[in-house]
Amino acid sequence: MADDAIEVLLEEGRTFPPPDEFKQSGNLNDPGVWEKADKDPEGFWAEQAQQLDWFKPWDKVLEWDCPWAKWFIGGKLNVSYNCLDRHVKTARKNKAAIIWEGEPGDERVLTYRDVWREVNKFANVLKGLGVQKGDRVALYLGMVPELLIAMHACNRIGAVHSVVFGGFSAESLSDRINDASAKVLVTGDGGYRRGTIIPLKKNADEAVESSPSIEHVVVVRRVGSESDATMKEGRDHWWHELMADAPLWCEPEQMDSEDMLFSLYTSGTTGKPKGIVHTTAGYLLGVYLANKWVFDMKEDDVFWCAADIGWVTGHTHIVYGPMANGVTQVMYEGSPDWPDKDRLWRMVEKYGVTIFHTAPTAIRTFMRWGTEFPAAHDLSSLRLLGSVGEPINPEAWMWYHEHIGHQNCPIMDTWWQTETGHPLITPFPGITTLKPASATKPFPGVEADIVDEQGNSVPLGGGGYLVLKRPWPAMLRTVFNDPDRYVETYWSRFPGMYFAGDGAKRDKDGYFWLLGRVDDVMNVSGHRISTMEVESALVDHQAVAEAAVIGKQHEVKGQGICAFVSLITGVDNTPELVDELRAHVAKKIGAIARPDELYYAAELPKTRSGKIMRRLLRDIADGKALGDTTTLADPTVVAKLKEQYEDE
Ligand code: PRX
């Protein structure tokens, strides 16, 4: 984010104190919690952990050998037991857990007991396919209840799930399966998106061709005769056929607190996505508490997190946190503008949604579509709103507040990451006075700071790098199969501190203002994509000699992808090739990584040691005056490029 934008943010003077009803009855309304947690963080987390169901209590709260953390050592528990069995034993048994709507308009309501039964059965199916504790299961599905069921079935038997977003390509899926050596893949015959069918099974087949660890593929029937999916004898099985004979009860595995719960791949600064490892007790505690406190989940709430389960937000705010709290949720399969741009608001009205959570990029899209779509529906059931995934600009915050929240829903702008497990810088509706576009302050027990290049804390009013100085239960434990990368990525920049990769400022009241990534990771519509991933996809094309990719400010997406490529000698730089290269990236990675802009460059600006100077490309793309070019091997390269960019 540009410096002038930072100043605008910090000048934001509007404040929104917590409404009285939240002050009185918010799940967290004791401002003394922070002081208590800071005095004795371990005691604080241990006290909260009593709210989970344990088969055996822990012997020791924390073992911290920086950067290696172990929480609740010696404890035994099961996540699906905490999210299902404990509700099924109470009056919540027949309470709606999931109110699901398919994009074409079909509906399903699953009670807690329904989900519990399906999870037990699918856990037995997985066992029948030879899946054992510790084995990895890859899940590549659209937003259907079976995805959530499969995730809980994995954790019930101690298998580790690795969910791959349904919009990723066959190659991205295969890379993730191979990194995890997954034994079983669960996919679908297709999924609906904006009226067309996503060819999940076709992609899965292509992926499995280069993923030898996969022994079985389970296929959920979703689109039926509209699918061109074919089944491979012996390897592929229909979900409904396996489920027809599955026994109804599966004893939940008594998992160790530190047993791995799941791995989820996310982009880093190097090309290869990394498998972020989360463990059983710490993650469950973090997501239980964050959903309870930040989203104030109550017995009669109808919660809707409109994220995809393929990202961490869907893990934490659909599959695990809300279910650990026993709340009713809405889940939607498709696109927000299908069949019309009021789809989400129609659903809020229809199901009486009380808490709604989405990303700034979606809010900016709604703004562009116009207020008539939300205005056409009664949204008075809403009492609380959430925002996640990228910095929200004050205009989008205010629009959300006025047109969706009708000025009486506090907005929880939650900062966190795949690695952190749950929101770590976030407001609480019964306590925090909000400032539009500030994620406000750290979660109790979490020590966040802003430091300079040397790792020294920056006084209030200043900016720098966001770090976390103390372990927290839901923190990632490592990078799957790559502990060195864990140390190097997160704990080496500032020894003894977790480096988040984000820039931030703090105002005089100690409020945090997130300013975006400081590394080569782009945030495109709230999705993390590394510049290197896109560059490797481009140079994979036979016409491309070199590529440099940057994130460019984008009105709706936050950042758009802007690529500069130089071609192999003899190849013509035609407009058709631009389209072909953009399509090539989409095929290699997934549509989310398709460059918005692509420019030909005779040469890319490099330092004398051969490093591409992305900073200069960013300046060109943002139309800024070029900064210092003295370290360039050939300063005329960049001048030519700028001229050419301005002409196009
Ligand atoms: O740059 C921050 C941004 O999203 C990154 C984490 O991405 P991911 O692991 O995909 O998780 C996204 C959902 C939790 C962060 O490093 N980010 C996330 N939330 C916010 C944010 N930036 C500003 N404000 C937020 N509320």
Side-chain angles (χ1 to χ4, degrees):
M1 189 174 279
D3 279 351
D4 43 354
I6 296 169
E7 293 315 321
V8 172
L9 278 181
L10 289 177
E11 274 168 26
E12 176 59 62
R14 289 168 285 201
T15 54
F16 296 81
D20 286 342
E21 62 271 27
F22 282 96
K23 265 205 223 150
Q24 280 145 22
S25 58
N27 284 343
L28 181 67
N29 54 11
D30 168 16
V33 168
W34 278 264
E35 199 187 324
K36 203 170 142 198
D38 281 341
K39 261 197 203 135
D40 176 13
E42 287 178 40
F44 162 75
W45 289 113
E47 188 185 329
Q48 303 308 327
Q50 311 274 5
Q51 298 180 60
L52 303 179
D53 263 45
W54 297 80
F55 297 131
K56 176 182 172 292
W58 59 90
D59 306 314
K60 195 175 173 201
V61 179
L62 172 68
E63 229 173 70
W64 178 231
D65 178 13
C66 184
W68 308 106
K70 285 187 185 159
W71 284 90
F72 306 108
I73 298 146
K76 298 269 185 202
L77 74 172
N78 181 279
V79 171
S80 82
Y81 185 92
N82 272 274
C83 294
L84 296 164
D85 299 53
R86 72 165 169 169
H87 307 314
V88 166
K89 288 179 181 168
T90 70
R92 284 183 184 146
K93 173 162 57 181
N94 285 323
K95 173 177 178 174
I98 307 290
I99 301 175
W100 178 84
E101 228 182 75
E103 194 185 75
D106 43 340
E107 288 170 35
R108 280 165 75 185
V109 177
L110 288 96
T111 64
Y112 269 94
R113 194 173 159 84
D114 290 334
V115 179
W116 172 83
R117 189 186 57 241
E118 299 301 293
V119 165
N120 271 275
K121 287 171 71 180
F122 197 64
N124 284 322
V125 165
L126 290 174
K127 278 188 171 175
L129 295 175
V131 176
Q132 294 177 356
K133 185 177 169 189
D135 285 344
R136 270 83 55 207
V137 174
L139 306 173
Y140 181 66
L141 277 159
M143 284 290 286
V144 288
E146 282 78 7
L147 175 52
L148 173 147
I149 290 165
M151 291 164 80
H152 281 294
C154 285
N155 76 58
R156 192 160 188 93
I157 62 170
V160 169
H161 61 68
S162 169
V163 179
V164 181
F165 171 57
F168 273 128
S169 66
E171 193 172 324
S172 295
L173 172 61
S174 172
D175 287 349
R176 285 158 175 77
I177 293 174
N178 294 343
D179 191 76
S181 307
K183 227 173 168 173
V184 169
L185 169 65
V186 184
T187 186
D189 63 349
Y192 292 101
R193 184 82 194 175
R194 208 166 274 129
T196 62
I197 291 184
I198 304 166
L200 291 170
K201 179 65 166 64
K202 198 169 137 267
N203 291 349
D205 285 342
E206 204 181 317
V208 173
E209 262 171 44
S210 45
S211 296
S213 61
I214 294 292
E215 295 168 13
H216 296 280
V217 178
V218 180
V219 187
V220 175
R221 177 170 283 164
R222 167 67 189 125
V223 299
S225 58
E226 291 182 73
S227 159
D228 54 4
T230 53
M231 301 290 276
K232 187 171 169 186
E233 184 77 35
R235 185 197 71 182
D236 298 353
H237 318 269
W238 286 109
W239 169 290
H240 58 274
E241 287 178 5
L242 295 175
M243 289 289 268
D245 305 325
L248 278 176
W249 167 249
C250 174
E251 185 74 30
E253 191 74 31
Q254 302 218 351
M255 301 297 286
D256 209 88
S257 293
E258 280 297 317
D259 277 337
M260 190 168 161
L261 176 64
F262 68 83
S263 137
L264 182 62
Y265 286 82
T266 186
S267 292
T269 44
T270 61
K272 197 170 152 276
K274 37 188 194 291
I276 300 302
V277 171
H278 281 288
T279 54
T280 303
Y283 177 81
L284 179 64
L285 173 61
V287 304
Y288 166 75
L289 209 57
N291 280 275
K292 179 173 172 176
W293 282 357
V294 177
F295 286 111
D296 197 46
M297 287 181 181
K298 301 267 171 56
E299 199 57 56
D300 52 0
D301 270 317
V302 179
F303 179 72
W304 185 8
C305 167
D308 193 290
I309 292 175
W311 310 106
V312 75
T313 304
H315 283 51
T316 295
H317 292 301
I318 300 175
V319 179
Y320 291 117
M323 299 208 66
N325 280 280
V327 84
T328 295
Q329 299 188 73
V330 170
M331 182 173 169
Y332 172 53
E333 176 185 40
S335 175
D337 58 353
W338 192 267
D340 209 342
K341 295 184 175 67
D342 66 342
R343 179 64 180 262
L344 303 190
W345 318 125
R346 183 179 292 279
M347 286 175 64
V348 167
E349 179 175 12
K350 182 170 169 192
Y351 301 116
V353 171
T354 58
I355 310 169
F356 179 76
H357 190 26
T358 191
T361 185
I363 299 166
R364 290 190 295 263
T365 305
F366 304 146
M367 284 170 79
R368 218 178 42 166
W369 288 345
T371 51
E372 64 269 32
F373 297 102
H377 295 279
D378 176 4
L379 305 183
S380 59
S381 58
L382 290 170
R383 66 181 191 97
L384 189 60
L385 299 172
S387 169
V388 61
E390 42 172 331
I392 182 169
N393 40 315
E395 300 71 38
W397 197 102
M398 289 307 297
W399 189 92
Y400 199 28
H401 180 67
E402 306 238 330
H403 298 286
I404 307 301
H406 294 117
Q407 303 190 352
N408 53 28
C409 300
I411 297 176
M412 302 296 102
D413 173 5
T414 58
W415 175 88
W416 59 295
Q417 309 178 294
T418 308
E419 293 86 341
T420 69
H422 65 89
L424 292 194
I425 299 181
T426 175
F428 295 87
I431 291 189
T432 315
T433 291
L434 306 171
K435 298 187 187 186
S438 167
T440 74
K441 295 190 179 180
F443 199 93
V446 168
E447 191 182 350
D449 199 1
I450 294 174
V451 297
D452 62 18
E453 290 284 340
Q454 282 72 44
N456 302 313
S457 185
V458 171
L460 296 189
Y465 302 100
L466 178 64
V467 295
L468 301 165
K469 292 183 154 172
R470 198 192 277 158
W472 65 102
M475 65 191 274
L476 80 165
R477 295 298 190 267
T478 187
V479 170
F480 191 73
N481 271 343
D482 203 347
D484 293 345
R485 197 164 171 205
Y486 167 68
V487 178
E488 196 190 302
T489 310
Y490 303 105
W491 300 93
S492 302
R493 178 75 177 79
F494 303 109
M497 302 178 211
Y498 171 90
F499 171 50
D502 279 309
K505 276 206 168 196
R506 219 169 3 189
D507 67 18
K508 59 180 187 338
D509 302 325
Y511 277 56
F512 287 72
W513 301 78
L514 276 304
L515 306 171
R517 303 285 305 189
V518 292
D519 52 14
D520 288 330
V521 173
M522 297 174 286
N523 192 328
V524 181
S525 301
H527 300 141
R528 254 162 92 168
I529 302 171
S530 91
T531 50
M532 235 93 110
E533 266 175 282
V534 181
E535 286 166 7
S536 350
L538 283 166
V539 294
D540 174 80
H541 191 283
Q542 58 194 19
V544 176
E546 268 191 314
V549 166
I550 54 159
K552 183 188 166 182
Q553 278 186 45
H554 187 286
E555 221 181 291
V556 175
K557 297 179 177 184
Q559 279 189 311
I561 303 178
C562 181
F564 295 85
V565 296
S566 64
L567 300 175
I568 302 271
T569 319
V571 175
D572 285 341
N573 52 4
T574 61
E576 292 73 36
L577 185 57
V578 168
D579 294 340
E580 191 179 319
L581 294 176
R582 293 175 65 231
H584 186 71
V585 176
K587 164 123 187 59
K588 294 281 291 179
I589 304 175
I592 52 166
R594 186 196 308 269
D596 298 86
E597 298 172 21
L598 191 140
Y599 299 98
Y600 295 118
E603 272 180 84
L604 294 172
K606 289 196 192 132
T607 60
R608 285 183 201 104
S609 60
K611 238 180 119 203
I612 294 174
M613 290 198 69
R614 285 204 185 73
R615 176 178 59 78
L616 292 177
L617 294 174
R618 255 180 243 130
D619 288 349
I620 293 176
D622 287 336
K624 283 199 207 140
L626 295 177
D628 185 8
T629 57
T630 49
T631 53
L632 281 174
D634 178 1
T636 61
V637 167
V638 71
K640 265 190 247 152
L641 204 54
K642 186 166 165 56
E643 232 170 75
Q644 180 196 333
Y645 183 89
E646 282 162 356
D647 285 348
E648 288 192 30

